[in-house]
Amino acid sequence: MEDLDEVFFNQEEFAEQHRINGRETLVVVDNDTLAELYISRDAHTDQIFTDAIMFCVRRKDLDFEPVAGQYLEYDGDRYLVTDVKLDTGTYTIILGGNKH
């Protein structure tokens, strides 16, 4: 947990500020892993890089529990949450390519 805060969620290392549901939040964007995931599933990848987003966020930094199927505002755009995993106090969230 200490490494998460000091390294992974450190803005000088991996973390970036993004706006989630109107609130500035530290996240680690990981679209490289997202692309690998889609490719390993033999999925169509043309729109991954422009439309889908995968990021990690600390559970303690959100004021809600994200679930697949809900909409989430990310940097002013509304996205469908397509997948959520919780591991060691950190959510990995994939936002779908269809902005609404």
Side-chain angles (χ1 to χ4, degrees):
M1 289 302 284
E2 192 173 306
D3 283 344
L4 279 176
D5 290 337
E6 292 182 12
V7 179
F8 198 61
F9 285 99
N10 179 334
Q11 282 188 278
E12 294 179 16
E13 297 290 336
F14 301 105
E16 307 168 355
Q17 285 282 346
H18 288 271
R19 204 158 185 79
I20 299 176
N21 289 347
R23 183 175 165 187
E24 289 293 323
T25 308
L26 279 177
V27 304
V28 176
V29 177
D30 193 1
N31 286 333
D32 292 338
T33 300
L34 178 62
E36 290 172 17
L37 177 66
Y38 277 78
I39 290 167
S40 72
R41 291 182 179 172
D42 203 27
H44 186 65
T45 59
D46 287 349
Q47 294 181 340
I48 291 172
F49 302 104
T50 57
D51 295 343
I53 300 168
M54 179 173 153
F55 65 92
C56 298
V57 61
R58 293 177 289 201
R59 183 179 192 180
K60 68 181 184 178
D61 290 341
L62 296 181
D63 58 356
F64 65 97
E65 183 177 340
V67 294
Q70 78 182 144
Y71 283 93
L72 181 144
E73 182 186 299
Y74 183 86
D75 288 342
D77 291 317
R78 193 168 176 223
Y79 291 88
L80 178 66
V81 176
T82 60
D83 197 12
V84 178
K85 299 280 188 262
L86 177 61
D87 183 33
T88 318
T90 302
Y91 288 112
T92 300
I93 300 173
I94 299 177
L95 302 178
N98 295 328
K99 292 190 272 185
H100 294 283

